[in-house]
Amino acid sequence: IAVGPGRGSSAGSLVAYCLGITNIDPLRYSLLFERFLNPERISMPDMDVDFADDRRDEVIRYVEQKYGRDRVAQIITFNVLKAKAVIRDVGRVLGLPFGEVDRIAKLVPETLNITLDEALRQSPPLAEAVKTRPDVAELWQIAKRLEGLSRHAGKHAAGVVISDDPLIEHVPLYKDPKGEEVITQYPMGPIEKLGLLKMDFLGLRTLTVITNTVRFIQESRGIRLDIEQIPLDDPKTYQLLSEARTFGVFQLESAGMRDALRQLRPERLEDVIAMVALYRPGPMQMIPEFTARRHRRVKPSYDHPVMEKHLQETYGIMVYQEQVLKIAADMAGFTMSEADDLRKAMGKKIPALMAEQRAKFRAGAQARGVKEKVAERVFELMEKFAGYGFNRAHATAYAIVAYQTAYLKANYPVEFMAALLTSEMANTDKVVVHIEECRAMAIDLLPPDVNVSGFRFGVAGATIRFGLGAIKNVGEKAVESVVGAREREGAFATLADFGRRVDLQLVNRRVIESLIKAGAFDSLGHTRAHLLAGLDGALETGQRHQRERDQGQGSIFDLMGGGSPAAAAAPVEPPLPEWDPDQLLLYEKEVLGFYLSGHPLKRVWADAQRRGAIGTGDLASREDGSRVILCGLVAAVREINTKNGDRMAFATLEDMDGAIEITIFPETFRQGGGHLRSGAPLLVRGRLEGSASTRKLLAEELRPLVGAGEDEGPPPSACRVRVGGGGADALRELRAVCDAHRGPVPIYLHLDLEGREVVVRARAIGVRPSAAFVAAVEGLLGGGSIRLD
């Protein structure tokens, strides 16, 4: 069972390393034991361990067997009614439609521990709904009164208690009604105060991905890769990190982290460790400075040689808590235990405690010949960064896992992506993202096939074979029946042959229908339409055969030692033509959650781009408030009445990159709402709102792509463009855009010259200010840079 390299401060223990509990050499990475355990520490130290997430339960079962089921228990948690949960619960009790309540809950921003009041301030569509709709206002008032109350008992995601006595002698126990687990009735805090040993057994999906990748490498290439022995200076890996091709790479795949990696261009593991430590609220603001020093654009300065000794590796910036400990020890004579107390005091920011520590540091530094002003300046610097400083041991452990996944992606991309897809089979949205990444990496994805595919995604040379388990309605037991029949008697020749040989109790009509729609029977040589039309006959033949077999009425072919041949499988019927392309793709979307063999927008995308449309994948680079044009299919739409009785709507628009929620207010809905349910590709012009994780589009215009004109209505009298401080390059690019959209409307440039706004009419050229022109200008100069009078 795959185990992580260590988590938290336990990686600073040389004993844990020698015993194999952690696999990070604390001497190699300058990790401090006192950060883990010291004489002043009152509570037991945590020793958290990561296990492959698909086998964590086996570890807990092993511990129960080793120490006794009466001495091992998981820890209870009391789940409280947080913002989204309380909205959903109250909505259900009030009898509001589920889809309606779900939409309101999704308007709450994806911010950790956000409150209802904060959500109302951050989400204008939510505030609008509460303000204009009495039913939502009532829901909101009740939800606010219940917010924060305990909802139900749960099980801690990682905590396990192990005792040398029966646990019932120390703590009341509780049996989970949904399973066999024994759980403590006390949560984490009281458990620790009782002196019981709490350990965290965490399930880490990345370890499962690494394990499956290594297995795929051995199966496809015959290479036995030891992930613990890979080189830490691999050029391909650092090239991948510098180019930020880190989708699927542990800890390094967010948009902000990818931007930081492009700037940093890491060349050694220590750079990755630093980035894992810095990319958090607070220290994140130091990343530009860290990057500038890393590339020698800014020269580090040090107040004292001790500072240079311990901060040289991080270019003069305090990144790790361990650096604070070392500086306090070397400059002021603190023991490591005292230095750790200083770190804790700085983190808590208690004035009286800080004054005491400041005096102690100043006295110790002066006793070692450090000038008082220098000691004071260093203490203030330590105080500033101690609140930001991260545990280097934890950063090192996670950076190593990050490097391992980056190494696998850089050197064994097909195997890595197959393992990544397998790990996310139950999450359609993630599968879509990873499939797009496969396409970007030029890795072909073969469709599912009952004669080749297994339950999980697999490797077929330089391609990935789709796993049957990723098809909706197809469970693992059903796939086991299919694969078992295939291994016993060979490939399936016809649908009826398939129906005879699999267990139809497990592989029922719904399963087979989903397999047909996903294309898993395409290799049999018939159209999907033909297969679906013949499904009833194949099931009837298969059920009759299985009944006869169960009753001992075997056929002559059975007596000869084989199954019934394919030729005798079913009456020959005239082949049916395939469904039209749109219907075929809709069926794929139904059972896979996305379009596999194509996309309905593909054949019209060039036309959409000519009209200024961009993909949702390009929105991450657009600022809040930017105006854009999107082209997509409406996947869901819900209409409501405002407080004034006007109709408005919320819809989900999907394109080839992904999906975005759009809000259509009454005026826009009156003009174009009729197009929302047409099923045809739709052009939506509007304004972006929210951060990358909560981005929405406030629609200003809706119209179908087919027949959409670019110059409808009277032309504006003037087009005004604010150039700002872009300089000559911006003007040259703007001129190229204007040349591509020449027309009768005069263009006025608003220039910022030495703090003064100067307006210049471009007499040599006029423009046709279409939606495409507006999108091109805003793409060049930013949202709000153009105004039509």
Side-chain angles (χ1 to χ4, degrees):
I1 299 175
V3 185
R7 181 193 271 245
S9 56
S10 63
S13 166
L14 191 60
V15 172
Y17 174 64
C18 292
L19 290 174
I21 296 170
T22 66
N23 62 4
I24 297 171
D25 181 352
L27 302 181
R28 159 74 174 79
Y29 295 102
S30 302
L31 309 182
L32 300 182
F33 177 75
E34 287 83 0
R35 178 63 187 83
F36 170 60
L37 185 62
N38 63 65
E40 279 72 31
R41 179 163 186 161
I42 299 170
S43 60
M44 290 285 286
D46 276 349
M47 190 172 280
D48 304 339
V49 186
D50 289 313
F51 298 98
D53 67 338
D54 61 343
R55 302 192 68 186
R56 173 181 174 270
D57 288 344
E58 292 180 54
V59 177
I60 295 174
R61 297 291 85 77
Y62 162 78
V63 171
E64 289 175 349
Q65 292 165 14
K66 184 174 181 65
Y67 298 105
R69 289 201 66 187
D70 59 339
R71 296 159 196 244
V72 177
Q74 296 184 66
I75 300 173
I76 204 167
T77 57
F78 295 102
N79 297 313
V80 299
L81 288 163
K82 294 185 179 180
K84 290 191 176 188
V86 74
I87 288 171
R88 289 191 167 100
D89 278 1
V90 172
R92 187 181 66 251
V93 173
L94 291 177
L96 297 176
F98 171 79
E100 162 74 3
V101 175
D102 185 60
R103 189 200 62 74
I104 294 167
K106 286 179 177 176
L107 292 176
V108 174
E110 296 287 346
T111 303
L112 186 65
N113 295 326
I114 192 169
T115 65
L116 289 173
D117 286 338
E118 289 169 350
L120 207 62
R121 286 193 295 271
Q122 294 182 24
S123 176
L126 181 62
E128 176 74 15
V130 173
K131 181 180 177 182
T132 58
R133 297 182 52 199
D135 56 339
V136 178
E138 181 188 11
L139 181 151
W140 197 259
Q141 291 304 316
I142 298 172
K144 281 192 65 176
R145 295 179 68 181
L146 297 176
E147 183 180 19
L149 295 179
S150 292
R151 184 184 190 276
H152 62 275
K155 184 172 61 179
H156 190 277
V160 176
V161 174
I162 306 174
S163 170
D164 56 351
D165 301 316
L167 277 168
I168 198 69
E169 296 181 12
H170 300 282
V171 60
L173 302 176
Y174 162 77
K175 190 165 182 293
D176 184 357
K178 296 179 182 177
E180 293 298 316
E181 293 94 345
V182 173
I183 303 171
T184 64
Q185 286 191 35
Y186 292 166
M188 189 81 72
I191 288 291
E192 291 180 339
K193 288 179 180 178
L194 284 170
L196 291 167
L197 177 62
K198 185 269 299 182
M199 299 189 73
D200 279 349
F201 292 178
L202 300 115
L204 187 62
R205 185 179 57 82
T206 301
L207 294 178
T208 305
V209 172
I210 291 173
T211 301
N212 287 336
T213 304
V214 170
R215 178 170 57 82
F216 284 143
I217 291 168
Q218 183 169 354
E219 291 173 357
S220 63
R221 307 191 188 206
I223 298 172
R224 294 180 64 89
L225 181 72
D226 184 351
I227 197 66
E228 304 296 339
Q229 301 300 321
I230 61 174
L232 297 178
D233 57 355
D234 178 59
K236 280 187 178 181
T237 303
Y238 289 109
Q239 182 180 356
L240 178 141
L241 293 173
S242 297
E243 295 172 359
R245 295 182 282 114
T246 53
F247 281 109
V249 175
F250 182 63
Q251 295 279 299
L252 306 181
E253 60 181 337
S254 70
M257 177 62 91
R258 294 199 306 275
D259 286 341
L261 288 172
R262 287 189 197 96
Q263 297 169 33
L264 183 67
R265 300 195 301 278
E267 294 178 347
R268 55 186 188 140
L269 185 62
E270 281 72 14
D271 292 335
V272 183
I273 297 171
M275 194 52 67
V276 169
L278 285 170
Y279 195 78
R280 296 175 302 109
M284 194 181 292
Q285 66 189 24
M286 297 303 302
I287 291 176
E289 178 72 12
F290 184 88
T291 300
R293 295 186 182 195
R294 151 90 171 79
H295 293 293
R296 297 187 175 89
R297 294 193 295 272
V298 174
K299 186 178 180 180
S301 61
Y302 302 97
D303 292 303
H304 191 275
V306 168
M307 300 288 282
E308 183 172 6
K309 175 185 175 183
H310 295 303
L311 299 183
Q312 190 172 24
E313 180 192 7
T314 53
Y315 316 108
I317 295 174
M318 288 188 197
V319 175
Y320 310 115
Q321 295 169 354
E322 285 85 343
Q323 291 172 318
V324 174
L325 271 66
K326 288 178 178 178
I327 291 168
D330 283 6
M331 185 175 284
F334 279 48
T335 66
M336 282 297 179
S337 296
E338 290 171 335
D340 195 50
D341 288 343
L342 171 65
R343 174 192 65 80
K344 292 175 185 173
M346 287 176 166
K348 293 176 181 175
K349 301 186 187 304
I350 301 172
L353 191 57
M354 284 305 301
E356 179 186 323
Q357 292 288 348
R358 184 187 293 267
K360 183 177 178 180
F361 182 87
R362 190 189 301 124
Q366 287 178 314
R368 292 180 167 238
V370 180
K371 294 179 180 178
E372 184 177 354
K373 284 187 177 179
V374 172
E376 188 67 30
R377 200 159 56 239
V378 170
F379 188 89
E380 288 176 358
L381 196 63
M382 291 167 62
E383 185 178 10
K384 175 184 175 183
F385 284 104
Y388 292 159
F390 196 65
N391 182 337
R392 180 186 173 111
H394 186 77
T396 301
Y398 269 24
I400 286 176
V401 177
Y403 179 88
Q404 289 172 345
T405 52
Y407 176 88
L408 292 173
K409 185 174 184 181
N411 292 276
Y412 303 98
V414 177
E415 291 84 354
F416 176 78
M417 293 307 297
L420 196 61
L421 283 161
T422 294
S423 74
E424 297 282 13
M425 282 198 310
N427 188 333
T428 300
D429 291 341
K430 286 283 191 178
V431 170
V432 172
V433 170
H434 296 325
I435 286 176
E436 287 302 320
E437 180 70 356
C438 287
R439 288 170 179 157
M441 295 166 67
I443 298 173
D444 289 333
L445 187 70
L446 300 175
D449 188 338
V450 292
N451 279 328
V452 180
S453 299
F455 180 75
R456 296 172 175 81
F457 287 81
V459 176
T463 61
I464 295 174
R465 172 68 70 176
F466 204 93
L468 298 179
I471 301 171
K472 290 181 182 177
N473 309 319
V474 180
E476 190 163 4
K477 293 293 184 185
V479 178
E480 286 176 4
S481 175
V482 172
V483 173
R486 191 174 73 207
E487 289 176 349
R488 286 191 302 272
E489 302 177 46
F492 304 105
T494 66
L495 190 60
D497 179 38
F498 178 87
R500 269 198 306 272
R501 290 163 51 189
V502 301
D503 184 347
L504 294 177
Q505 298 274 318
L506 299 172
V507 190
N508 56 30
R509 179 191 175 85
R510 191 183 187 197
V511 170
I512 301 174
E513 194 172 300
S514 296
L515 290 169
I516 291 171
K517 290 177 178 179
F521 286 100
D522 287 1
S523 62
L524 301 189
H526 289 288
T527 65
R528 299 179 195 180
H530 183 85
L531 290 164
L532 195 58
L535 177 56
D536 288 335
L539 283 173
E540 186 180 338
T541 301
Q543 288 163 350
R544 184 172 63 249
H545 174 83
Q546 292 186 16
R547 278 197 306 271
E548 292 172 354
R549 183 190 60 203
D550 293 342
Q551 293 168 2
Q553 299 179 20
S555 71
I556 188 171
F557 302 108
D558 296 325
L559 295 173
M560 293 169 63
S564 302
V572 178
E573 299 173 358
L576 292 178
E578 188 56 280
W579 298 306
D580 67 72
D582 285 348
Q583 183 62 57
L584 186 137
L585 290 170
L586 281 173
Y587 278 144
E588 285 186 0
K589 179 78 183 297
E590 176 191 323
V591 297
L592 298 176
F594 55 92
Y595 304 106
L596 179 61
S597 59
H599 197 285
L601 291 178
K602 197 167 187 178
R603 63 181 185 275
V604 299
W605 190 244
D607 186 28
Q609 287 181 306
R610 281 195 296 273
R611 302 184 190 283
I614 62 172
T616 53
D618 298 323
L619 297 181
S621 61
R622 300 300 175 100
E623 297 177 0
D624 185 20
S626 298
R627 281 182 165 77
V628 297
I629 299 173
L630 300 178
C631 179
L633 298 169
V634 177
V637 61
R638 195 182 58 77
E639 300 177 17
I640 63 169
N641 286 324
T642 67
K643 189 176 181 180
N644 299 327
D646 297 323
R647 296 290 281 172
M648 65 173 290
F650 300 90
T652 302
L653 189 77
E654 291 185 349
D655 65 8
M656 291 185 287
D657 294 339
I660 187 171
E661 184 175 313
I662 59 175
T663 302
I664 306 105
F665 289 116
E667 183 60 32
T668 306
F669 185 79
R670 274 195 295 273
Q671 295 175 1
H675 303 307
L676 289 171
R677 300 186 186 276
S678 67
L682 200 64
L683 282 174
V684 182
R685 180 172 59 83
R687 179 167 55 84
L688 291 175
E689 181 184 81
S691 64
S693 60
T694 61
R695 184 143 281 178
K696 297 176 178 63
L697 184 72
L698 305 183
E700 296 171 346
E701 182 184 15
L702 305 170
R703 51 183 171 158
L705 173 65
V706 178
E710 292 195 347
D711 53 357
E712 299 169 1
S717 60
C719 175
R720 299 183 179 276
V721 178
R722 185 174 300 281
V723 179
D729 289 341
L731 286 171
R732 274 193 293 271
E733 291 186 49
L734 178 61
R735 173 60 188 258
V737 172
C738 292
D739 282 336
H741 297 271
R742 283 182 177 269
V745 179
I747 183 168
Y748 293 86
L749 306 180
H750 291 244
L751 306 172
D752 182 5
L753 298 179
E754 298 181 354
R756 295 172 56 239
E757 183 179 75
V758 178
V759 183
V760 180
R761 178 177 175 181
R763 296 187 180 277
I765 188 172
V767 295
R768 184 181 300 278
S770 63
F773 172 73
V774 172
V777 172
E778 290 198 332
L780 173 64
L781 301 175
S785 57
I786 186 169
R787 191 181 85 222
L788 303 178
D789 293 343

